[in-house]
Amino acid sequence: MTASDRTAPRLPRPTVYAIDGVVPVIDPTAFVHPSAVLIGDVVVGPGCYVGPCASLRGDFGRIVLQRGSNVQDNCTLHAFPGHDAIVEEDGHVGHGAVLHGCVVRRNALVGMNVVVMDGAEIGEESIVAAMAFVKAGFVVPPRTLAAGLPAKVVRELHPDEIAWKGEGTEEYQRLARRSLATMVACAPLEAEEPGRGRVDAGTSQPLHKVKGG
């Protein structure tokens, strides 16, 4: 079987549903995986990435992803009626996170499996550590690290940590472009081929490796 035999047509369109006559909006330069679900009042801006099995439910409040932000696989975004869930420009939301009626400010990072509750604000260029619970109304100040159950401000971030976050987000912006350009539905191989290549994933590294030199 050749590569052309395995390759099916381009990916199907993302799964979107209108409700009460309100239709989701996806900028043409954004990538939304077909298994993600967008309902109603959802706006996905330029250069954004929305990963597999994410759920953006704009059936009560509005969901907004601003330019260059990413919401990774298995994330859930929702809000109470009349409230919004917003990820500002270059915001970065890790695998499995839940955002409910909150704001993630510009260039902030919400770690894997974090829960952020209503009225909370994740400050500009801040980081919320994986598995944290950010209670309703809590404000994480700009350029700080928050962690714990419930989350508390641990310390200010170092410039190299903010730079590391930015590099990771740039890779997700590039992933949106890679996905739009090269991702196709295909059949699997039956065995690993000799000289198997690797994906063009850049050079981003985990923070503990970066800090450890």
Side-chain angles (χ1 to χ4, degrees):
M1 179 181 291
T2 67
S4 60
D5 294 329
R6 294 193 307 271
T7 303
R10 294 305 303 258
L11 292 179
R13 295 173 64 85
T15 307
V16 300
Y17 300 91
I19 187 169
D20 299 329
V22 181
V23 180
V25 176
I26 302 173
D27 186 275
T29 64
F31 175 80
V32 179
H33 192 274
S35 65
V37 176
L38 280 60
I39 300 173
D41 197 359
V42 178
V43 180
V44 179
C48 292
Y49 174 89
V50 178
C53 299
S55 174
L56 282 64
R57 273 183 50 211
D59 47 13
F60 287 169
R62 177 172 294 173
I63 311 298
V64 179
L65 305 185
Q66 294 184 2
R67 179 184 295 272
S69 60
N70 69 76
V71 171
Q72 298 171 21
D73 17 338
N74 301 311
C75 289
T76 300
L77 277 67
H78 198 236
F80 279 105
H83 296 266
D84 300 342
I86 301 173
V87 181
E88 292 189 344
E89 184 172 350
D90 295 337
H92 190 112
V93 183
H95 317 290
V98 177
L99 307 183
H100 205 280
C102 59
V103 178
V104 178
R105 295 294 183 195
R106 188 186 66 82
N107 202 34
L109 184 153
V110 174
M112 292 180 280
N113 289 312
V114 167
V115 175
V116 186
M117 294 300 293
D118 302 274
E121 180 177 319
I122 310 304
E124 183 173 319
E125 296 187 329
S126 62
I127 293 176
V128 180
M131 302 294 291
F133 174 76
V134 181
K135 64 184 181 181
F138 188 78
V139 176
V140 178
R143 293 172 288 282
T144 61
L145 172 66
L149 299 166
K152 297 180 180 179
V153 177
V154 177
R155 59 173 173 82
E156 292 185 355
L157 288 172
H158 302 301
D160 61 338
E161 292 170 321
I162 297 173
W164 168 82
K165 183 273 166 198
E167 291 170 1
T169 300
E170 288 174 359
E171 286 299 340
Y172 265 90
Q173 292 164 353
R174 195 169 74 89
L175 176 59
R177 298 191 295 271
R178 289 168 55 206
S179 298
L180 287 170
T182 71
M183 189 180 290
V184 295
C186 66
L189 298 173
E190 295 180 355
E192 182 178 344
E193 68 272 48
R196 181 176 176 84
R198 290 184 176 270
V199 296
D200 180 17
T203 59
S204 182
Q205 294 291 316
L207 183 58
H208 75 280
K209 286 187 172 291
V210 174
K211 292 177 72 69

